[in-house]
């Protein structure tokens, strides 16, 4: 049975998604609870895998990853083994930030973070193109960002109306 999120869990998650450095006491103060139950809820959500980890979000330009590309890949063969192999092997490349198996014309889309077009070419020729089963590759590059969000929108659980 999976863990059902309660109102306080959602409030905690909303706060942590925007600032994971908040202390248990700060979260408790913001939601009007004491620290101990907040601590217990956070630990339970970590144990259940709802909270998968905590990260620092970096400025990609300041860490020399100024170019973001989305690379669409069509595989030659579509057996389960070949699909799983591509997912595993492509995910091992440091340049690949995200890997998704897709519906539609292409099989996979990779979000890649690279320094510049020269580094992209090196990635394409010396890494991606060396994988077995890669057919068509098409890439597009980000000119500007409209929205980048890391927090999922969370809904409050629907409260059941009391019967009269």
């Amino acid at each position: 049975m999976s863990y059902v999120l309660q109102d306080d869990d959602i409030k905690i998650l909303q706060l942590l998604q925007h600032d994971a450095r908040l202390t248990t006491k700060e979260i408790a103060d913001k939601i009007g609870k004491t620290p101990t139950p907040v601590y217990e809820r956070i630990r339970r959500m970590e144990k259940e895998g709802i909270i998968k980890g905590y990260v620092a979000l970096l400025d990609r330009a300041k860490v020399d990853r100024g170019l973001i590309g989305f690379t669409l890949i069509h595989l030659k063969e579509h057996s389960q083994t070949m699909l799983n192999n591509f997912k595993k092997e492509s995910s091992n490349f440091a340049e690949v930030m995200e890997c998704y198996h897709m519906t539609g014309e292409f099989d996979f889309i990779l979000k890649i973070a690279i320094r510049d077009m020269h580094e992209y070419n090196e990635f394409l020729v010396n890494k991606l193109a060396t994988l077995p089963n890669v057919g068509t590759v098409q890439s597009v590059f980000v000119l500007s960002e409209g929205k980048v969000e890391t927090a999922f929108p969370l809904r409050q659980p629907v409260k059941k109306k009391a019967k009269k």
Side-chain angles (χ1 to χ4, degrees):
M1 183 170 153
S2 65
Y3 182 75
V4 177
L5 294 175
Q6 304 294 315
D7 286 342
D8 287 342
D9 297 323
I10 290 173
K11 290 174 187 174
I12 291 166
L13 292 171
Q14 288 169 332
L15 290 167
L16 287 174
Q17 283 191 105
H18 293 283
D19 186 357
R21 294 176 59 177
L22 288 172
T23 66
T24 302
K25 183 177 181 339
E26 290 170 324
I27 295 169
D29 289 345
K30 288 178 184 288
I31 68 169
K33 302 291 180 184
T34 60
T36 300
V38 169
Y39 174 83
E40 290 169 355
R41 284 181 179 278
I42 292 170
R43 293 300 163 253
R44 188 176 320 119
M45 288 188 287
E46 290 171 343
K47 181 181 173 196
E48 292 291 327
I50 296 165
I51 298 174
K52 293 169 53 174
Y54 300 89
V55 300
L57 302 176
L58 307 180
D59 182 319
R60 64 183 172 83
K62 292 179 180 177
V63 294
D64 209 17
R65 294 285 163 232
L67 185 59
I68 298 294
F70 292 91
T71 300
L72 300 152
I73 294 102
H74 184 269
L75 300 179
K76 295 175 191 172
E77 184 184 330
H78 297 90
S79 69
Q80 182 177 7
T81 300
M82 296 305 268
L83 292 167
N84 289 337
N85 285 348
F86 178 82
K87 189 180 343 180
K88 180 181 175 188
E89 292 176 31
S90 64
S91 295
N92 286 329
F93 297 138
E95 298 87 350
V96 175
M97 302 298 294
E98 299 172 26
C99 173
Y100 298 100
H101 184 201
M102 307 293 293
T103 61
E105 182 180 343
F106 290 92
D107 299 308
F108 285 90
I109 185 168
L110 306 177
K111 178 180 177 183
I112 57 171
I114 46 188
R115 184 179 309 113
D116 52 29
M117 287 303 287
H118 175 75
E119 189 171 295
Y120 169 73
N121 189 58
E122 293 293 316
F123 166 75
L124 178 64
V125 172
N126 298 319
K127 293 184 177 180
L128 192 59
T130 67
L131 296 180
N133 199 33
V134 171
T136 305
V137 174
Q138 180 179 335
S139 294
V140 293
F141 298 92
V142 174
L143 296 175
S144 66
E145 296 173 339
K147 179 180 180 178
V148 177
E149 181 62 65
T150 60
F152 290 108
L154 301 174
R155 293 189 193 142
Q156 296 292 337
V158 178
K159 297 187 185 217
K160 295 180 181 177
K161 293 180 182 177
K163 292 182 180 181
K164 293 182 179 183

